[in-house]
């Protein structure tokens, strides 16, 4: 059984701070990793994808991947109240038609 | 650009009634299509996925079924709804089986 684990939170940070969201996964064959943001009552929207070890930056977001440790994280710099949402980590399984396995999400609240 | 539609947006149905949810994708060909359910406060549960017309894989045994009658159309059905079928139903599409993009979702309440 493939597992994707996230701290459910809630995680609270003050406006302007760095929010750090973490995710671990159990399957070493996973090749693609994704972060989604889900506002309350809405569908998930893709923030970032990462495929190689190291960091990938997109605006205020940085994804970090360490395949040896089976760990992927998302950093949000200069957090804004509009970043308050649940963040879902997803990993693929290339052995099953690239099905995605999702964590249960981390709830983030940015306090003005 | 690609867009994904789902309808209806919300639905309230009595226990034992049938269900039909529809998902369509525009602006792409031969996408992989997925149905997920998200129960209140829970994670995403993959229900079905499809890599082509008429090709459906089921992940969880239940009273739901899926069909793909056209390349960009994916339908989720049930003959008799249960209370436990309540949730947020999400359709997603993927080009070449990689990144998945979600539709707006259908919120189903079974009473």
């Amino acid at each position: 059984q493939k597992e994707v684990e996230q701290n459910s939170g809630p995680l609270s940070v003050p406006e302007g701070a760095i929010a750090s969201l973490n995710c671990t996964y159990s399957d070493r064959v996973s090749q693609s990793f994704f972060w989604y943001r889900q506002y309350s009552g809405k569908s998930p929207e893709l923030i970032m994808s990462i495929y190689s070890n190291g960091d990938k930056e997109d605006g205020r977001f940085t994804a970090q991947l360490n395949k040896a440790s089976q760990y992927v994280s998302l950093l949000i710099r200069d957090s804004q109240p509009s970043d308050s949402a649940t963040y879902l980590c997803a990993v693929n399984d290339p052995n099953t038609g690239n099905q995605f396995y999702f964590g249960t999400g981390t709830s983030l609240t940015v306090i003005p | 650009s690609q867009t994904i539609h789902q309808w209806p947006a919300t639905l309230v149905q009595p226990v034992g009634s049938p269900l039909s949810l529809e998902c369509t994708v525009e602006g792409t060909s031969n996408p992989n299509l997925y149905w997920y359910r998200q129960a209140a406060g829970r994670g995403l549960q993959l229900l079905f996925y499809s890599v082509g017309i008429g090709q459906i894989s089921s992940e969880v045994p239940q009273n739901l079924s899926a069909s793909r009658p056209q390349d960009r159309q994916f339908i989720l059905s049930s003959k008799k709804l249960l209370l436990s079928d309540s949730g947020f139903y999400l359709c997603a599409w993927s080009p070449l089986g990689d990144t998945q993009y979600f539709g707006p979702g259908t919120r189903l309440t079974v009473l």
Side-chain angles (χ1 to χ4, degrees):
Chain A
Q1 179 70 26
K2 296 170 179 53
E3 294 182 352
V4 179
E5 305 255 351
Q6 293 182 255
N7 187 330
S8 62
L11 174 65
S12 295
V13 300
E15 184 174 355
I18 296 175
S20 178
L21 306 166
N22 304 315
C23 173
T24 59
Y25 58 96
S26 63
D27 196 336
R28 290 186 175 275
V29 302
S30 296
Q31 296 295 318
S32 306
F33 306 85
F34 306 85
W35 283 100
Y36 289 82
R37 177 175 61 199
Q38 186 175 22
Y39 292 115
S40 180
K42 302 296 186 181
S43 63
E45 56 179 321
L46 181 70
I47 299 175
M48 292 188 69
S49 58
I50 186 167
Y51 304 93
S52 303
N53 280 329
D55 296 358
K56 179 181 178 182
E57 187 175 318
D58 183 0
R60 296 186 295 112
F61 298 96
T62 299
Q64 300 174 318
L65 175 61
N66 184 326
K67 291 186 179 180
S69 299
Q70 297 176 239
Y71 175 91
V72 58
S73 66
L74 179 70
L75 300 178
I76 307 175
R77 292 182 301 280
D78 189 23
S79 296
Q80 301 296 309
S82 59
D83 295 326
S84 298
T86 296
Y87 290 81
L88 303 174
C89 171
V91 305
N92 80 324
D93 179 1
N95 296 320
T96 58
N98 278 316
Q99 285 186 52
F100 275 27
Y101 292 88
F102 285 85
T104 54
T106 297
S107 175
L108 172 67
T109 299
V110 180
I111 302 168
Chain B
S1 63
Q2 300 84 13
T3 55
I4 179 169
H5 304 278
Q6 287 186 246
W7 61 88
T10 60
L11 192 59
V12 180
Q13 293 284 94
V15 169
S17 63
L19 174 73
S20 181
L21 304 181
E22 189 166 343
C23 170
T24 60
V25 182
E26 297 177 355
T28 188
S29 296
N30 197 31
N32 286 5
L33 296 173
Y34 307 83
W35 277 112
Y36 290 88
R37 177 171 60 202
Q38 188 175 39
R42 309 261 322 256
L44 288 168
Q45 178 187 30
L46 179 64
L47 302 175
F48 302 94
Y49 70 95
S50 171
V51 298
I53 295 174
Q55 301 178 61
I56 309 294
S57 296
S58 174
E59 288 302 299
V60 182
Q62 58 214 330
N63 66 322
L64 300 173
S65 62
S67 62
R68 186 170 177 174
Q70 301 180 41
D71 180 44
R72 290 169 291 175
Q73 183 185 32
F74 205 22
I75 297 172
L76 182 70
S77 304
S78 174
K79 293 182 179 178
K80 288 186 178 182
L81 283 169
L82 307 172
L83 285 174
S84 58
D85 291 324
S86 293
F88 192 35
Y89 287 81
L90 291 157
C91 180
W93 76 276
S94 172
L96 303 177
D98 191 53
T99 308
Q100 293 188 15
Y101 301 93
F102 288 88
T106 295
R107 191 161 303 280
L108 171 66
T109 303
V110 182
L111 301 176

